């Protein structure tokens, strides 16, 4: 990544943001300022570096039947991963229901939404 914080963030904004045009240039500038501070990206990089160990521990928990017990409300956009998202949620938690959005429904609108 080097010192190109803006390029790094814009890569994710372009590929992972539901409504890229919902991020104003001023908002992008604010993100760049925030993430340009020393150490600001450290936790994100540490999480990425720990992914292999994290997955191994998750596999052990699943094999031993350990699951999250607290209520959860996962919110995500639809993807082309088929049923993988629902499978992962059910492996992690006992009390997550998969719901299909009816053809007529309300969308949660937010700062990045349309």
């Amino acid at each position: 990544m080097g010192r190109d914080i803006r390029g790094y963030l814009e890569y994710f904004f372009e590929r992972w943001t539901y409504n890229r045009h919902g991020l104003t240039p001023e908002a992008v500038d604010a993100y760049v300022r925030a993430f340009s501070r020393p150490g600001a990206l450290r936790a994100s990089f540490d999480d990425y570096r720990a992914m292999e160990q994290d997955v191994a521990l998750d596999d052990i928990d699943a094999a031993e039947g350990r699951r999250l017990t607290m209520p959860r409300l996962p919110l995500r956009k639809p993807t082309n991963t088929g049923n993988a998202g629902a499978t992962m949620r059910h492996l992690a938690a006992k009390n997550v229901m998969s719901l299909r959005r009816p053809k007529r429904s309300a969308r949660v609108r937010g700062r990045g939404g349309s």
Side-chain angles (χ1 to χ4, degrees), residues 69-91:
T69 58
M70 78 288 274
R72 294 183 45 208
L73 176 62
L75 299 173
R76 64 178 181 84
K77 70 177 186 173
T79 64
N80 292 334
T81 59
N83 202 27
T87 301
M88 292 304 293
R89 288 191 305 279
H90 286 285
L91 285 174

Side-chain angles (χ1 to χ4, degrees), residues 13 16-23 77 110-114:
F13 293 154
W16 291 59
T17 305
Y18 174 72
N19 178 8
R20 170 60 178 97
H21 303 291
L23 283 171
K77 70 177 186 173
R111 191 157 183 90
S114 55

Side-chain angles (χ1 to χ4, degrees), residues 5-6 9 25-38 40:
I5 303 293
R6 179 176 298 278
L9 292 174
E26 295 80 17
V28 173
D29 289 344
Y31 278 109
V32 170
R33 281 192 306 278
F35 283 97
S36 293
R37 293 187 315 236

Side-chain angles (χ1 to χ4, degrees), residues 4 8 15-16 24-26 29 31 38 41 44 46 49 58 75-77 79-82 94-95 101-102:
D4 186 12
Y8 175 77
R15 288 162 181 80
W16 291 59
T24 65
E26 295 80 17
D29 289 344
Y31 278 109
L41 291 170
S44 179
D46 286 348
R49 281 190 286 272
D58 289 345
L75 299 173
R76 64 178 181 84
K77 70 177 186 173
T79 64
N80 292 334
T81 59
K94 295 178 183 175
N95 53 356
R101 189 175 69 164

